[in-house]
Amino acid sequence: MKKYLLTAIAATAAMGISAQEVAEVATETYTETVASIAPDGRSNWFISVGAGPQMFFGDHDRQAKFGDRISPALDIAVGKWFSPSIGVRLMYSGLSAKGATQTWGDKNGGIYNTGKVVPGKYTHPYGFLCEQKINYLTLHADVMFDLTNMIGGYKADRVYGCAPYIGVGWGHVYNNPHQNTVIGNAGIFNMFHVSKAFDINLDLRAMITNDEFDGETGRRSFDAMLSVTAGVTYRFAPRGWKSRVMKVVEYDNDAVNELRRRVAELIAQNEKLEREKAGTTVQHNTVVNANGNYLIYFPINVSALSNADRAQLEMVADMIKSTPESTVFSVIGYADKATGSPEINETLSRERAQSVREYLVKEFGIAADRLDVSWNGGVGNMFLNDPSLSRVVIIRQKK
């Protein structure tokens, strides 16, 4: 991570960011999540076919035998998944339903009568109870929700998928008398992925419609159908989804600030080279001015004394020794605020002042109480509008 950060920061510096723009950063955590997206708009279409048993619930279902109410069902659907979790389908469902009808005294009466009497169900004055066969079809649109992808996230190699759905549609009975009705349905579509293109599916569905679907109106306010169909689904190419793994990137402020400090040094060195090309190179040596002030300049981010500085400090020591022992001198450290952070500049200015005092005390025996050390951190341009001249220690006699 440090390698990549340093590269990025150095590239930014090369584009002209000045050292003054280098700042501290806080520890931050970035989380990136990208929703799964389809390869293109033509993807994830499917067609499915299924068949199985179904059971009708009408006005006389409790009077007919359980086995006599089971009839075949056929499902044919085409649909599309718009995301790993949401899809729609348009489905044909139907064939026939079996129920029972009251003959009202006429063995051949009733609605959709097959002519087969339900044994033991003759009552006066309602007549015989006969079996029904209702030939019908439904067309309905369903919205599907893939719970496995919603809860567990999309996985291309997942074997099982569970998709509850809900939908509305139109129902039609095409033997006489004809019936047209609005239907509602809900169910669970179970998918077993056996290959990239094919699924084996099991559809558990409940359909509800008005009470006149079987041609009779009774105490029940609706008619219903339960079905269980098994079949196969073919998924057209392109299929599948592109997904990205969640990434968490943590930035340590100490590491980043250290890198920024190093970049600040590189920027300052570049500025120095530019000034040298322009003929404005500053020699970092000790200077004694006419007023008795002594200045020791330091390179950027340096607090150690050079040999040239040590040689000049010998002259400063001789001057201090020539004054009365009660004379106190101030030793004040500075740094250039145009480079580095306030914390770094505070440390540099302190270490520069302390290195001068320690050398004068240890090497030349100057009493420590004669040297009043202080530091001012990063400051603006002190001399000639040149930031490099602010990296200095000034020694002067206190009044």
Side-chain angles (χ1 to χ4, degrees), residues 18 21 74 99 119 132 141 146 165 231 234 262 282 295 311 366 381:
S18 68
E21 293 177 297
L74 175 66
Q132 279 183 320
D146 192 325
Y165 61 86
Y234 176 75
R262 291 167 60 187
V282 176
L295 291 82
I366 303 298
N381 296 344

Side-chain angles (χ1 to χ4, degrees), residues 36-242:
S36 298
I37 57 174
D40 58 52
R42 299 179 291 108
S43 65
N44 295 302
W45 284 89
F46 65 89
I47 185 171
S48 63
V49 178
Q54 61 183 355
M55 179 174 288
F56 181 67
F57 293 83
D59 294 310
H60 304 289
D61 58 80
R62 286 176 292 182
Q63 296 172 282
K65 293 182 179 180
F66 180 86
D68 293 338
R69 295 163 53 200
I70 298 176
S71 60
L74 175 66
D75 295 339
I76 301 174
V78 61
K80 174 179 173 60
W81 289 100
F82 294 98
S83 75
S85 303
I86 305 293
V88 296
R89 71 180 180 183
L90 179 64
M91 174 176 278
Y92 158 86
S93 300
L95 281 185
S96 64
K98 290 183 179 182
T101 182
Q102 197 73 51
T103 63
W104 299 98
D106 180 1
K107 185 177 179 179
N108 296 316
I111 307 297
Y112 312 134
N113 190 349
T114 64
K116 184 177 180 180
V117 176
V118 177
K121 297 299 180 181
Y122 177 84
T123 57
H124 182 78
Y126 303 107
F128 294 94
L129 189 67
C130 293
E131 293 183 1
Q132 279 183 320
K133 184 178 181 181
I134 306 170
N135 298 315
Y136 80 101
L137 65 86
T138 64
L139 293 174
H140 50 91
D142 302 325
V143 181
M144 310 173 71
F145 307 91
D146 192 325
L147 285 183
T148 49
N149 286 337
M150 284 183 175
I151 298 173
Y154 170 70
K155 294 181 181 179
D157 57 352
R158 178 177 282 123
V159 175
Y160 172 71
C162 177
Y165 61 86
I166 188 170
V168 295
W170 167 75
H172 174 69
V173 177
Y174 49 84
N175 48 349
N176 290 319
H178 298 310
Q179 300 281 350
N180 290 290
T181 182
V182 175
I183 68 165
N185 60 279
I188 299 175
F189 191 66
N190 298 275
M191 302 163 286
F192 301 89
H193 307 305
V194 295
S195 71
K196 290 183 178 179
F198 287 95
D199 297 344
I200 294 175
N201 46 265
L202 181 66
D203 197 344
L204 310 177
R205 181 170 63 256
M207 181 195 80
I208 187 171
T209 184
N210 63 45
D211 187 35
E212 298 178 355
F213 185 77
D214 59 0
E216 297 183 2
T217 302
R219 295 180 180 179
R220 191 190 301 270
S221 59
F222 60 89
D223 291 341
M225 188 84 72
L226 293 179
S227 63
V228 179
T229 59
V232 63
T233 296
Y234 176 75
R235 291 178 283 133
F236 296 96
R239 60 184 70 92
W241 307 89
K242 296 178 181 178

